[in-house]
Amino acid sequence: MITGERMGAVDENAAALGVPRKQLMESSGNAVARAVRDVAERGDRVAIVAGRGNNGGDAFVAARFLDGYDVTTLLLGRAANIGTEIARENWDALQRADYDAREVTDSSGFELPECDVIVDAMLGTGISGDLREPAATAADAINAADATVVAVDVPSGFDADGGDHADNGVEADRVVTFHDAKPGLEDLDAEITVADIGIPAAAERYVGPGDVDLARPDTREGRPNIIGGGPYTGAPALAAQAALRASAELAFVAAPDSVAGEIQGYSEDLIVQSYESDVLTPEVADDLLETAEAYDNAVVIGPGLGTADETLEATRQFLSSYTGRAVVDADALAVVPEIETDATLVCTPNRGELARMGGPDTDDLASAADEIEAFAAELGHVVLAKGANDVITDGERTRISRSGTVGMKVGGTGDTLAGIVAALLEHAEPLDAAAAGAHVNGLAGERLAETKEHGFLASDMLAELPAVLWGGDDE
């Protein structure tokens, strides 16, 4: 089962793998035509009611596969406003080939022709809520008609993410949904067919540009709090700066006063909040917990903390009581298997840390993906295992990021990853944030590898993050 939102990401990943959306549309339209032929006799009248998105584009393709039928295609709106290039190309193909394809530019002028089968292709998986005009008028006519209704992907008015169906949505007799079932379709009084349209399994398994689009916020948001530093200062500074570059509005660093000034010196953009101690202690953890709970921002805990007994105890105490979202990295990872918590944790171990936590001890994380998934299920948290290929899993779903370069073995790249994931956690679900964060971090390394022939530092990656996320040098 797959949500409409996730399906959009998978479509984009498939295109990146070399299976373009135009090819998928051709397969989708063919599947719709097969469903129509299953319920219609040759020569029957078929009315296609199409919107201006790719859902309509699928139906334009279907019309070409129904030459043995009396087909009328009604486009709701003007052809000049068709929303995607591939849908427009398929509409133009109908026009040039003299198919009966008409524009309906005013809902008051909508008239459904006499027909035996209606294809509902008005709205796809990206739309939810009550139907508005002209779709509302068309849906009324479709529901009142004495014809078999075949819906493309989902009935118009159906929310493919939440499973709700609008009160004025289309009541379909059959639904041809693509690639995988959508949540809630099974509850409809309709026959559901899942059509294989040629999307490779790798489009779901391997992280790609669709995953980044899914996790990326539209604007700056969130104020992650990095709890780190003591024995080391660079790690929390890198994590905080990466969070800023990856869409955070502000980034706070909670660190001992003995190193707070040094951390602040890395960047004037950081907000460093010092506490009176050389390392994180249980007493300090109580205050940090109160702050974190009050402001409901994502937390990164671990970079540069050290492994003093009182620091590990403080980390246990913080994570056991915390109820928000946290990226757990570096020294803090050691306590995660010992604690019970209501917090939402994304754990980011390297290969050695994964083994010490109780996960598989392997140099090839991708080949051990099933074992890592089982470990995450037992742990009860998202695991982002870092290696040549990163494995990201919540214990039920697993994705692999193949981005990155050998140059990322340099210290600090894991800290930038923690900051990126924390920033994305403000917008995305934990698994999605972790998968996109791993991919973005790796792509930043790849960009540097193209120009830094003698290697690069983790701090060099910071400047690449906006380009990877937004396609430019800044937002």
Side-chain angles (χ1 to χ4, degrees):
M1 190 154 311
I2 189 169
T3 65
E5 189 176 48
R6 175 67 183 152
M7 189 67 214
V10 170
D11 276 349
E12 188 171 352
N13 289 350
L17 292 169
V19 184
R21 284 180 169 172
K22 186 172 184 178
Q23 181 175 328
L24 297 178
M25 183 173 286
E26 196 74 9
S27 297
S28 299
N30 201 343
V32 172
R34 288 198 302 271
V36 171
R37 290 195 293 269
D38 285 344
V39 298
E41 299 291 336
R42 195 165 183 81
D44 277 356
R45 298 162 297 179
V46 178
I48 295 174
V49 186
R52 299 190 305 273
N54 281 341
N55 198 248
D58 296 333
F60 303 153
V61 172
R64 291 191 281 104
F65 285 99
L66 292 171
D67 272 347
Y69 301 81
D70 181 4
V71 180
T72 300
T73 301
L74 303 177
L75 171 64
L76 299 185
R78 299 185 184 280
N81 295 327
I82 291 175
T84 70
E85 184 63 30
I86 54 174
R88 185 178 299 108
E89 288 175 1
N90 279 298
W91 170 263
D92 290 343
L94 296 183
Q95 297 292 303
R96 287 192 295 266
D98 289 331
Y99 285 88
D100 184 1
R102 318 168 190 171
E103 297 171 304
V104 180
T105 58
D106 186 340
S107 60
S108 64
F110 179 84
E111 184 175 345
L112 191 67
E114 290 291 328
C115 55
D116 303 290
V117 178
I118 301 169
V119 176
D120 164 32
M122 293 188 294
L123 302 173
T125 57
I127 306 297
S128 61
D130 288 342
L131 299 185
R132 295 179 294 180
E133 297 297 355
T137 293
D140 283 343
I142 291 170
N143 291 338
D146 184 18
T148 301
V149 179
V150 177
V152 176
D153 208 6
V154 296
S156 294
F158 182 85
D159 181 354
D161 293 315
D164 297 325
H165 198 189
D167 290 339
N168 65 342
V170 169
E171 303 295 335
D173 299 296
R174 298 191 65 166
V175 178
V176 183
T177 196
F178 307 129
H179 182 63
D180 201 352
K182 311 305 184 293
L185 282 181
E186 71 278 6
D187 297 327
L188 299 180
D189 185 17
E191 181 179 338
I192 311 298
T193 300
V194 177
D196 183 350
I197 58 172
I199 293 177
E204 285 200 66
R205 184 70 163 177
Y206 296 121
V207 185
D211 297 276
V212 176
D213 283 352
L214 187 61
R216 178 182 55 230
D218 295 328
T219 60
R220 284 196 176 276
E221 58 184 73
R223 303 180 175 191
N225 193 347
I226 288 75
I227 301 173
Y232 312 101
T233 60
L238 280 170
Q241 290 177 89
L244 286 172
R245 296 291 184 130
S247 77
E249 181 182 6
L250 298 171
F252 298 86
V253 180
D257 54 11
S258 58
V259 297
E262 187 175 346
I263 293 173
Q264 183 69 76
Y266 284 99
S267 173
E268 62 273 20
D269 297 311
L270 304 181
I271 302 173
V272 182
Q273 300 173 321
S274 63
Y275 52 81
E276 293 183 1
S277 177
D278 291 333
V279 295
L280 182 65
T281 66
E283 294 75 22
V284 172
D286 280 339
D287 292 336
L288 296 179
L289 176 65
E290 184 177 344
T291 300
E293 292 284 3
Y295 289 97
D296 190 31
N297 293 315
V299 166
V300 178
I301 185 167
L305 272 184
T307 57
D309 289 344
E310 59 184 337
T311 297
L312 294 179
E313 180 54 37
T315 304
R316 288 187 194 92
Q317 181 177 307
F318 181 92
L319 290 176
S320 295
S321 301
Y322 187 48
T323 59
R325 296 148 293 157
V327 180
V328 185
D329 189 38
D331 299 324
L333 289 164
V335 309
V336 173
E338 309 167 8
I339 64 170
E340 292 186 7
T341 180
D342 292 328
T344 299
L345 304 185
V346 177
C347 301
T348 57
N350 59 31
R351 291 172 299 162
E353 290 163 339
L354 178 67
R356 289 192 290 275
M357 291 176 72
D361 187 357
T362 177
D363 290 335
D364 186 352
L365 294 176
S367 67
D370 290 345
E371 295 174 68
I372 298 171
E373 181 179 286
F375 170 67
E378 181 181 351
L379 194 65
H381 304 297
V382 173
V383 171
L384 194 176
K386 302 176 291 193
N389 293 305
D390 300 327
V391 175
I392 309 99
T393 178
D394 63 0
E396 295 182 356
R397 299 165 295 170
T398 296
R399 297 171 196 161
I400 297 171
S401 174
R402 301 183 290 183
S403 67
T405 171
V406 67
M408 292 178 66
K409 289 183 177 180
V410 67
T413 58
D415 302 308
T416 61
L417 172 60
I420 296 166
V421 174
L424 298 180
L425 268 176
E426 299 288 351
H427 169 73
E429 294 298 315
L431 181 68
D432 295 332
H439 198 59
V440 165
N441 202 46
L443 290 177
E446 289 181 7
R447 284 173 62 93
L448 281 171
E450 293 175 359
T451 57
K452 303 275 189 179
E453 59 180 304
H454 300 300
F456 56 86
L457 302 176
S459 57
D460 295 328
M461 294 174 58
L462 298 173
E464 303 298 329
L465 295 178
V468 172
L469 274 169
W470 288 282
D473 292 332
D474 52 39
E475 288 184 43

